Amino acid sequence: MDLKKNIPTNFVVFGITGDLAAKKIIPALFHLFKKGLLSDMFKVIGYSHTDLNRSDFEQRIIKIVEPHISNDGERTQVKDFIDLFIYQKGSFENKNDYLSLVDILKKIDDSWGVCSNKLFYLAVSPKLYEDIFSHLSTSKLTKPCSAEEGWTRVIVEKPFGENQKTARRLEMLMGKLFKEVQIYRIDHYLAKEMLQNILMFRFSNNLFENNWNNNVIESINIQVLENIGVEERGVFYDHVGALRDVGQNHLLQMLALATMEYPESYKGESIRSKRGEVLQTLKPLSIAEIKTFSYRAQYNGYRKIKGVQENSQTETYFKIRGFFDNPRWVGVPFTLESGKRLGEAEKKITITFGHPMPCLCPTGPENYKNQIIFNLEPKENITIKFWAKKPGLTGEMEQRELEFDLRGKEDKRQYIEEYEKLLLDCIAGDQTLFLSTKELQAMWNFVDPIMKAWEKNIVPLKYYEPDSKAITALASFIDTKNAALTGKENKKIFLTKEIGVVGLGKMGANMCRHLLERGWKVVGYNRSEEETKKLSKFGLIPAYSLKDLVNNLSKSKIVWLMIPSGKAIDEIIFGKDGLVKLLAKGDTIIDGGNSFYEDSARRVKKLKKFGINFVDVGFSGGPGGARDGASLMVGGEKKIFETLEELFRNLSIPGGYGYFGKAGAGHFVKMIHNGIEYGMMQSLAEGFEILKKSNYKFNLKEIAEIYNHGSVIESRLVNWLINALQKSGNNLKGVKGDVDYTGEGEWTVKTAKRLKVPARIIEESFKFRVRSKKKPSFSGQVLSALRQEFGGHGYKKGK
């Protein structure tokens, strides 16, 4: 954008004599000036309480820009640069002093003969924000000349408030005085070249984005480890601390860029909206989780810094592990880690990919995983770590790296270039690299509970020697914590990854293999010993009786029943040698079969007498889902669900499990799911019978393929029909026309009648299956074929 063509701009800097102005704002303006990127009519009005005459102020600016002068030609530009500045002494709290700014801006506008744009930068302590905002409004300094000219904008620096409450109050005040398009909340990390590159790397290429989710990505780690200390910032830093200084803003914004959804464009509105959406799904940590998943420390010698309290509990280092609550990232932990005086600066985002299953990986420790690393320091590059064959005759593998270097270290102007970009965008009206209200609220929502817990010393402050990364090793235990936390007393409940599975048919066997590949100890029992022995080669511990199964499980036993509904379940639980006689108080039985929900509600009451927990799980997805990730609908006590949540997360597809209420709720939801499935399958079957009997010689497989590419009825059901037609031809030769059925459809119809809900389509689809026993048809063939494809139920060959 050619800013020289802009309407002239007055840039008012509150706190012009402060550290921020000296280190970032004025140097950034000088670089923009040297590049000719400022308007020909551009003025900087510096406002501060410091008593300075013009000469003192000019000398101050000369001292600031001196390190940024590269040659004699630039030195000659300094005088013209200084001429852009006007200094005004005034109090931030006294509203009358703002009237002097009104006079200055009016004189400038009169000399230019036009109403200028006005940009107000609050380079001051956040505690002064409220006074400045109020006085800017009452003095009408922020009132535009008209709708067509003289815009006004306000720039605020982090931290945006001290906590969620003060941030909300500040946002409410700004919302009353200014429109959102006028407010520019600076997080200078967003202007870093490498972070801007994340968006292009992800969304302008088609290399990784389709696998940028919890199907493939195992963890996300964000580090901002600094070599510098607090130095002269003791008064400010001791009030803020590391978490508020960089965690609440920089690190969470880095996380947002790494995890946001695909934006409609690179325009500010779209980017900010997507960042806000993903940040709103951050899961606030409970007290118990904060104890387990957070760590804080202070470097020795920090308390001797001027302005720091002698008994300060302020952290200079922290590490936090968190989680998302959205389908794309559920189950993927992220860690945020930052601190000062940690040796060589190291700032990066590390995306770690899980092993493929089965993994044709080098045998060895856990670090044999692919990674993408966005490095900000000490180098600016993108590194991709992968495995390749090592030259030679052995077939041995070795880790290799692809690197893209953004630029050399000597080409970077730390902080200054970020502020150049941000100031240009403020003038141009581009809010892409500035925080929105939605983002700010979401970030405080995650950080605030942690800060409150730390203030109560729930996580004791540790100490570390400066200029060493030893503390990062001490905090590394957080990376391996694997806990589900619940309970009114916020006790830590660690889920032992072991389970007993009763019923090793197609569903149970595939579920066992799925869990084994995710690091679970699985003990399996089946009436047929042959099926049990088959699975032992995959790591399953075979059991040849219920007693044997229970004895192979440690304390807090979990037993999953994957058997048909009905009397068999009651026999296994309550029979002569049933589980109630083998399990202890506090153990858990999970019924993952297709049981009637009223039976589940009855069973939980009986098991309560024994102190045994009962959970009912509607399991959808068939054998394929059991093998690769299912859809789970859970009922039972919520605290038991929360304890077992990692199990459900491991068994389901991303975002594919949910808790629906007390015992029976899971099977009720699954029952309705199956009733809906009856109706959907029936309409598909009837439609294809009409196609087959028409006067046209249709190729049904080709029609199904077209239906399944972008049409409204595109679905897994249509895909399964394609598979069946591929195997059995246009006439579904060999597939019988009478359809088997289980209880869920009938249960749904009966339940609908009891609740007085019309369910004509589901009822008719159920009756069709009953009638098909006497009147087979092509519709029946379609239904039988679909049942075989997704459920593996099997069908008899037609005559």
Side-chain angles (χ1 to χ4, degrees):
M1 182 176 184
D2 186 357
L3 295 172
K4 284 185 172 291
K5 294 180 181 179
N6 281 358
I7 297 173
T9 303
N10 278 307
F11 183 33
V12 180
V13 182
F14 291 101
I16 192 70
T17 58
D19 191 59
L20 178 62
K23 291 184 176 179
K24 298 173 184 177
I25 299 172
I26 294 174
L29 285 171
F30 183 56
H31 283 283
L32 293 175
F33 178 76
K34 291 190 297 181
K35 296 172 183 176
L37 292 174
L38 298 179
S39 170
D40 290 333
M41 288 185 284
F42 185 90
K43 284 289 183 182
V44 182
I45 298 90
Y47 187 98
S48 176
H49 57 74
T50 306
D51 193 8
L52 292 174
N53 58 36
R54 179 66 190 179
S55 177
D56 292 337
F57 184 58
E58 288 183 3
Q59 289 302 311
R60 191 182 191 93
I61 296 175
I62 291 172
K63 185 178 179 180
I64 290 170
V65 302
E66 181 68 32
H68 302 276
I69 299 172
S70 302
N71 52 58
D72 290 339
E74 290 184 358
R75 192 171 298 279
T76 62
Q77 294 179 290
V78 173
K79 183 180 183 305
D80 290 335
F81 178 67
I82 292 174
D83 287 343
L84 299 181
F85 286 79
I86 297 171
Y87 180 71
Q88 177 63 41
K89 179 181 181 297
S91 166
F92 300 116
E93 297 89 347
N94 188 342
K95 64 180 180 180
N96 293 326
D97 286 353
Y98 289 76
L99 299 179
S100 60
L101 281 178
V102 175
D103 292 337
I104 291 171
L105 294 172
K106 185 177 184 305
K107 288 178 182 178
I108 296 172
D109 282 1
D110 290 344
S111 68
W112 287 340
V114 66
C115 177
S116 64
N117 298 322
K118 298 172 183 66
L119 192 59
F120 298 93
Y121 197 129
L122 276 65
V124 296
S125 169
K127 66 183 180 182
L128 297 171
Y129 283 2
E130 291 190 35
D131 283 334
I132 295 174
F133 287 146
S134 298
H135 296 325
L136 281 176
S137 180
T138 56
S139 65
K140 299 183 179 179
L141 278 164
T142 53
K143 184 178 180 181
C145 301
S146 69
E148 289 77 31
E149 63 175 347
W151 52 249
T152 60
R153 294 172 185 151
V154 177
I155 307 173
V156 291
E157 281 273 355
K158 63 139 185 108
F160 309 107
E162 298 179 1
N163 49 41
Q164 192 172 45
K165 182 178 179 180
T166 58
R168 189 178 292 118
R169 186 171 69 238
L170 189 61
E171 286 294 303
M172 288 177 65
L173 176 63
M174 286 195 292
K176 289 178 182 178
L177 302 178
F178 315 109
K179 296 178 180 178
E180 180 66 18
V181 294
Q182 292 179 280
I183 304 169
Y184 287 70
R185 304 170 188 84
I186 281 186
D187 183 340
H188 71 267
Y189 260 62
L190 284 175
K192 287 185 176 292
E193 285 286 352
M194 185 50 68
L195 294 191
Q196 293 179 69
N197 249 307
I198 292 176
L199 297 180
M200 282 64 179
F201 178 86
R202 288 186 58 193
F203 304 127
S204 294
N205 299 299
N206 197 26
L207 293 170
F208 300 103
E209 189 58 26
N210 288 337
N211 289 321
W212 207 262
N213 53 50
N214 53 7
N215 284 325
V216 179
I217 292 175
E218 181 178 276
S219 64
I220 301 170
N221 299 295
I222 299 176
Q223 291 178 306
V224 174
L225 309 182
E226 300 181 274
N227 57 354
I228 61 172
V230 173
E231 281 84 40
E232 326 71 55
R233 300 173 67 221
V235 174
F236 166 79
Y237 196 90
D238 202 43
H239 183 67
V240 175
L243 181 56
R244 270 186 287 215
D245 189 39
V246 297
Q248 184 270 338
N249 35 72
H250 300 338
L251 272 65
L252 287 178
Q253 280 296 309
M254 293 165 73
L255 179 65
L257 292 173
T259 57
M260 61 184 272
E261 295 290 336
Y262 200 100
E264 296 175 2
S265 70
Y266 284 128
K267 292 182 179 179
E269 184 178 350
S270 180
I271 297 292
R272 282 161 37 114
S273 175
K274 294 302 181 184
R275 289 197 314 247
E277 285 174 10
V278 74
L279 288 170
Q280 285 179 317
T281 67
L282 290 172
K283 186 178 179 182
L285 300 180
S286 67
I287 293 296
E289 288 169 326
I290 292 168
K291 285 181 180 179
T292 304
F293 296 128
S294 75
Y295 188 89
R296 64 189 184 113
Q298 182 187 98
Y299 68 79
N300 292 328
Y302 167 76
R303 294 178 181 178
K304 296 179 181 179
I305 296 171
K306 184 179 179 181
V308 174
Q309 296 182 19
E310 62 180 18
N311 60 346
S312 173
Q313 291 294 297
T314 299
E315 78 286 349
T316 59
Y317 167 86
F318 70 87
K319 186 168 185 176
I320 295 167
R321 191 181 190 197
F323 309 89
F324 285 102
D325 188 14
N326 71 52
R328 186 183 185 114
W329 295 111
V330 68
V332 177
F334 63 84
T335 56
L336 310 175
E337 183 179 26
S338 183
K340 293 190 173 294
R341 298 288 297 272
L342 293 172
E344 184 182 19
E346 192 175 357
K347 303 177 183 180
K348 62 185 178 181
I349 300 173
T350 303
I351 310 294
T352 301
F353 293 78
H355 290 309
M357 293 294 179
C359 185
L360 304 179
C361 313
T363 57
E366 280 294 304
N367 64 346
Y368 286 106
K369 293 179 181 177
N370 301 133
Q371 290 183 325
I372 296 176
I373 305 171
F374 300 96
N375 290 297
L376 285 72
E377 286 189 47
K379 296 200 311 186
E380 284 183 292
N381 66 16
I382 299 174
T383 302
I384 300 175
K385 295 186 177 183
F386 63 99
W387 292 93
K389 180 184 178 298
K390 192 173 183 179
L393 302 176
T394 63
E396 187 179 352
M397 283 191 260
E398 62 181 351
Q399 190 179 70
R400 304 298 294 268
E401 295 182 358
L402 286 176
E403 284 193 357
F404 156 69
D405 290 331
L406 179 65
R407 57 184 167 183
K409 192 173 182 180
E410 65 280 358
D411 299 325
K412 182 179 179 181
R413 296 188 307 278
Q414 181 80 311
Y415 302 124
I416 306 302
E417 65 179 34
E418 290 93 339
Y419 274 80
E420 288 180 52
K421 172 65 174 169
L422 293 169
L423 292 176
L424 275 184
D425 285 355
C426 287
I427 296 169
D430 185 349
Q431 290 184 305
T432 305
L433 303 180
F434 298 86
L435 302 187
S436 64
T437 299
K438 182 164 66 173
E439 293 171 88
L440 187 60
Q441 290 173 345
M443 292 190 296
W444 275 121
N445 191 48
F446 178 74
V447 168
D448 211 45
I450 300 170
M451 287 182 6
K452 288 178 180 177
W454 287 0
E455 287 168 3
K456 295 177 182 177
N457 205 36
I458 286 172
V459 177
L461 185 69
K462 305 295 184 181
Y463 300 92
Y464 63 99
E465 288 302 314
D467 307 319
S468 165
K469 285 189 170 63
I471 190 67
T472 64
L474 291 176
S476 63
F477 71 91
I478 287 177
D479 298 321
T480 57
K481 284 285 186 181
N482 194 11
L485 303 163
T486 187
K488 292 183 179 179
E489 297 87 14
N490 291 313
K491 293 180 179 178
K492 288 189 290 188
I493 301 175
F494 290 87
L495 180 62
T496 303
K497 294 182 73 172
E498 65 173 54
I499 190 170
V501 177
V502 178
L504 304 179
K506 291 186 292 290
M507 296 286 289
N510 280 353
M511 190 182 86
C512 289
R513 291 183 63 185
H514 185 85
L515 288 173
L516 286 165
E517 289 171 351
R518 280 151 184 79
W520 284 73
K521 170 188 171 183
V522 182
V523 183
Y525 164 71
N526 196 69
R527 284 184 300 178
S528 165
E529 292 187 6
E530 184 180 349
E531 297 300 321
T532 309
K533 290 175 181 177
K534 283 181 185 178
L535 285 172
S536 64
K537 66 180 179 180
F538 297 106
L540 177 129
I541 298 171
Y544 299 105
S545 68
L546 287 177
K547 184 177 180 180
D548 192 16
L549 178 134
V550 171
N551 287 341
N552 272 289
L553 297 172
S554 57
K555 194 176 179 182
S556 299
K557 298 174 173 62
I558 303 168
V559 178
W560 185 297
L561 308 183
M562 208 58 161
I563 55 179
S565 60
K567 293 181 180 179
I569 293 177
D570 282 329
E571 181 64 27
I572 286 172
I573 297 175
F574 303 109
K576 181 181 177 182
D577 299 311
L579 291 172
V580 293
K581 297 188 175 146
L582 301 170
L583 296 175
K585 185 177 180 180
D587 292 341
T588 302
I589 296 173
I590 302 173
D591 179 7
N594 285 323
S595 294
F596 187 39
Y597 75 95
E598 289 183 354
D599 289 337
S600 297
R602 170 178 56 80
R603 287 167 185 145
V604 75
K605 289 180 181 178
K606 289 183 70 175
L607 286 168
K608 272 189 177 179
K609 298 175 183 177
F610 299 92
I612 297 171
N613 305 314
F614 181 84
V615 176
D616 57 295
V617 177
F619 197 110
S620 179
R627 185 68 183 88
D628 301 318
S631 173
L632 306 180
M633 305 144 223
V634 186
E637 287 189 44
K638 190 170 185 180
K639 68 178 183 179
I640 304 302
F641 161 78
E642 289 172 344
T643 304
L644 298 171
E645 192 166 1
E646 186 180 359
L647 169 63
F648 302 134
R649 186 182 298 123
N650 284 181
L651 277 174
S652 68
I653 63 169
Y657 71 92
Y659 171 76
F660 295 101
K662 62 184 181 181
H667 281 146
F668 189 99
V669 174
K670 177 58 164 50
M671 176 185 74
I672 301 305
H673 162 282
N674 282 26
I676 294 169
E677 176 190 297
Y678 268 55
M680 292 172 68
M681 290 171 64
Q682 185 69 29
S683 64
L684 194 61
E686 290 172 3
F688 271 79
E689 182 163 12
I690 295 169
L691 288 167
K692 186 176 185 301
K693 291 186 175 181
S694 72
N695 293 327
Y696 299 98
K697 302 297 182 182
F698 286 128
N699 183 313
L700 299 185
K701 177 176 172 291
E702 288 183 2
I703 292 174
E705 286 177 339
I706 293 299
Y707 282 171
N708 220 38
H709 281 81
S711 82
V712 174
I713 64 169
E714 180 179 4
S715 64
R716 296 175 74 188
L717 283 172
V718 176
N719 190 59
W720 285 320
L721 180 56
I722 293 169
N723 294 341
L725 290 166
Q726 175 73 37
K727 294 174 183 176
S728 303
N730 216 49
N731 294 319
L732 292 176
K733 185 178 179 181
V735 180
K736 66 172 188 169
D738 60 298
V739 193
D740 293 330
Y741 53 89
T742 51
E744 294 93 330
E746 185 176 6
W747 295 338
T748 303
V749 172
K750 289 181 177 179
T751 301
K753 287 181 177 178
R754 184 167 56 80
L755 297 174
K756 298 180 180 179
V757 176
R760 298 181 186 90
I761 293 172
I762 296 174
E763 183 175 1
E764 184 54 37
S765 64
F766 167 68
K767 288 181 178 178
F768 173 88
R769 297 192 183 195
V770 175
R771 291 195 302 268
S772 74
K773 295 298 180 182
K774 293 182 179 180
K775 295 182 178 181
S777 64
F778 186 74
S779 290
Q781 286 181 278
V782 173
L783 291 172
S784 293
L786 287 171
R787 294 186 80 248
Q788 170 63 22
E789 289 301 318
F790 75 75
H793 298 293
Y795 49 76
K796 299 173 184 177
K797 297 289 183 182
K799 294 180 181 179

